C-alpha cells in the first residue's frame, strides 16, 4: 500500500503543494509519515466483482486490482473498442444505412438495441451515441458493416488495434460483445480494460459521447426520431462521473468501465461480474472503489467535493 500511496501522490502532487501552502497539515488523518493519502491496506470493502481495477486516469497506472490479468467475458464493454476503431477511421459524418441483418443479429442473443429500423440512414457520429448510450447492438452491427468493411474486416481491425495497444489479454469475436460464437470468445482483463479506457478517453469525440446522459436525434429524410439515455447509472448518481460503458451477458454478469474526476484527479476503473442480475451492484462496486481512493483526498481538501 505504500507503493499505491506513492503512485497516486505523484498524480496529485500539484494539488497537495497548494493544500500545504494553505496551511493544511501534510500528514493524512492517521498521521502517517510516508504520505498524505493513507488507504486501507486491505483495499476497498464490500466489492462484489470477481475482477476489478482502479488506475489513475492520466497514465493508466493500476493503483488497486483484483484478478488484474485474468481474461474474462466483458459483454458490451467491447463496444468501447468498436467506437475507438470507428473514431480513428474518421469521416464521422458518413451516412450509414442500417442493414436488415442487424435485427436477426440482435435477436439471436437478446442484445440491447438503439431502436433502429432497417434501411434508415444516420451518420456514424449519431450511431456512436446509439452504440454507447443505450448500448445498441444494432448500432454496433451497422457501424462494423460500414467501417470494416463487413463484420469480419471490422473484427480484424478491432483485434489489430488491441495488439497495437499492447492488450495481450484481450480478444474480440463480436463488435457488441455478444456471446458469438461462444460465451467466452470476446474477453479481456481488468488491467487491459483500464488501459483501453485511458486511450479511448483521450479521444475528444469519445469523451464527449460517453459523458452524455441523453441524446436526441430528430426525424430526418432518411431516419426516425430517436431519444437515447445512458445505461451508466454512475454517470447520473456519482459526483464527478464522466463515463464510460456498461456491459451485461449471462457469462459476463453486470460490468462497468468508468471514469471520474474529483478534486481535479481523474481515476479510471472497471468492475467485472459484479452480479448476475443487477446493474446497481456494479454501480455500487464502482462507488466503493472510488470512495476508498477519493475520501482521504477530500478530507485533506474539504472544499474540493
Amino acid at each position: 500500500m505504500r507503493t499505491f500511496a506513492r503512485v497516486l501522490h505523484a498524480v496529485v502532487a500539484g494539488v497537495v503543494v497548494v493544500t500545504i501552502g494553505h496551511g493544511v497539515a501534510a500528514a493524512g488523518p492517521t498521521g502517517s509519515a510516508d504520505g498524505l493519502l493513507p488507504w486501507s491496506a486491505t483495499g476497498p470493502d464490500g466489492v462484489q466483482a470477481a475482477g476489478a481495477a482502479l488506475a489513475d486516469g492520466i497514465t493508466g497506472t493500476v493503483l488497486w486490482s483484483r484478478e488484474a490479468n485474468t481474461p474474462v467475458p466483458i459483454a458490451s464493454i467491447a463496444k468501447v473498442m468498436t467506437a475507438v476503431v470507428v473514431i480513428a477511421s474518421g469521416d464521422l459524418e458518413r451516412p450509414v444505412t442500417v442493414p436488415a441483418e442487424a435485427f436477426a443479429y440482435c435477436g439471436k442473443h437478446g442484445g440491447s438495441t438503439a431502436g433502429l429500423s432497417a434501411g434508415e440512414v444516420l451518420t456514424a457520429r449519431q450511431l456512436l451515441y446509439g452504440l454507447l448510450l443505450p448500448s445498441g447492438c444494432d448500432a454496433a452491427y451497422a457501424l462494423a458493416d460500414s467501417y470494416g468493411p463487413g463484420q469480419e474486416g471490422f473484427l480484424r481491425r478491432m483485434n489489430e488495434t488491441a495488439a497495437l495497444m499492447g492488450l495481450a489479454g484481450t480478444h474480440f469475436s463480436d463488435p457488441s460483445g455478444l456471446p458469438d460464437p461462444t460465451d467466452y470468445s470476446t474477453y479481456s482483463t481488468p488491467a487491459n480494460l483500464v488501459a483501453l479506457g485511458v486511450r479511448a478517453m483521450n479521444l475528444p469525440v469519445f469523451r464527449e459521447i460517453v459523458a452524455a446522459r441523453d441524446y436526441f436525434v430528430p426525424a430526418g429524410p432518411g431516419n426516425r426520431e430517436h431519444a437515447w439515455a445512458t445505461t451508466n447509472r454512475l454517470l447520473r448518481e456519482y459526483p464527478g462521473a464522466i463515463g464510460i460503458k456498461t456491459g451485461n451477458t449471462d457469462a459476463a454478469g453486470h460490468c462497468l468501465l468508468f471514469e471520474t474526476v474529483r478534486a481535479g484527479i481523474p481515476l479510471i476503473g472497471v468492475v467485472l461480474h459484479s452480479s448476475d442480475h443487477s446493474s446497481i451492484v456494479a454501480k455500487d462496486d464502482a462507488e466503493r472503489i472510488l470512495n476508498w481512493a477519493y475520501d482521504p483526498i477530500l478530507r485533506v481538501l474539504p472544499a474540493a467535493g
Side-chain angles (χ1 to χ4, degrees):
M1 201 51 55
R2 289 173 182 264
T3 300
F4 182 3
R6 283 196 296 270
V7 170
L8 197 53
H9 174 83
V11 177
V12 302
V15 175
V16 168
V17 169
V18 172
T19 304
I20 295 172
H22 282 78
V24 177
T30 63
S32 60
D34 72 329
L36 295 163
L37 308 171
W39 288 276
S40 160
T42 58
D45 293 328
V47 175
Q48 302 299 306
L54 181 70
D56 81 69
I58 298 172
T59 67
T61 301
V62 175
L63 308 173
W64 172 85
S65 66
R66 173 182 293 167
E67 299 293 340
N69 298 308
T70 301
V72 292
I74 59 172
S76 285
I77 294 177
K79 291 171 178 146
V80 172
M81 182 62 88
T82 298
V84 167
V85 171
V86 170
I87 292 167
S89 300
D91 190 19
L92 297 186
E93 305 314 314
R94 171 193 301 192
V96 176
T97 300
V98 179
E101 293 82 2
F103 304 97
Y105 162 78
C106 292
K108 181 180 178 182
H109 299 290
S112 52
T113 78
L116 303 177
S117 296
E120 71 173 316
V121 181
L122 297 99
T123 68
R125 187 184 302 272
Q126 290 170 328
L127 286 171
L128 285 170
Y129 280 92
L131 173 80
L132 294 168
L133 270 63
S135 199
C137 297
D138 45 1
Y141 191 97
L143 287 166
D145 218 47
S146 178
Y147 277 84
Q151 302 296 310
E152 290 305 315
F154 193 82
L155 287 168
R156 184 166 54 252
R157 296 180 67 192
M158 292 176 75
N159 287 307
E160 287 172 353
T161 303
L164 288 171
M165 290 182 178
L167 307 181
T170 299
H171 179 77
F172 299 99
S173 68
D174 182 87
S176 296
L178 291 172
D180 186 15
T182 73
D183 284 339
Y184 296 90
S185 54
T186 291
Y187 57 82
S188 189
T189 71
N192 277 190
L193 288 176
V194 294
L196 171 60
V198 169
R199 298 290 285 272
M201 291 296 274
N202 278 327
L203 299 170
V205 172
F206 181 91
R207 192 178 184 91
E208 177 182 346
I209 292 171
V210 296
R213 297 180 179 184
D214 305 281
Y215 188 75
F216 179 71
V217 180
N223 67 277
R224 299 169 50 234
E225 174 185 297
H226 294 282
W228 294 317
T230 184
T231 58
N232 184 355
R233 292 175 179 269
L234 198 74
L235 193 63
R236 296 185 181 277
E237 300 178 23
Y238 190 81
I242 58 172
I244 303 179
K245 186 70 190 74
T246 60
N248 176 43
T249 62
D250 289 345
H254 283 272
C255 309
L256 178 60
L257 179 63
F258 55 91
E259 183 168 0
T260 57
V261 180
R262 300 185 71 183
I265 301 162
L267 293 177
I268 189 165
V270 66
V271 291
L272 300 174
H273 212 136
S274 287
S275 169
D276 287 328
H277 60 275
S278 174
S279 63
I280 296 174
V281 179
K283 187 268 295 184
D284 289 347
D285 271 353
E287 288 189 353
R288 290 186 181 97
I289 295 169
L290 289 165
N291 288 339
W292 174 73
Y294 278 126
D295 282 355
I297 301 170
L298 300 181
R299 284 195 292 268
V300 175
L301 302 177

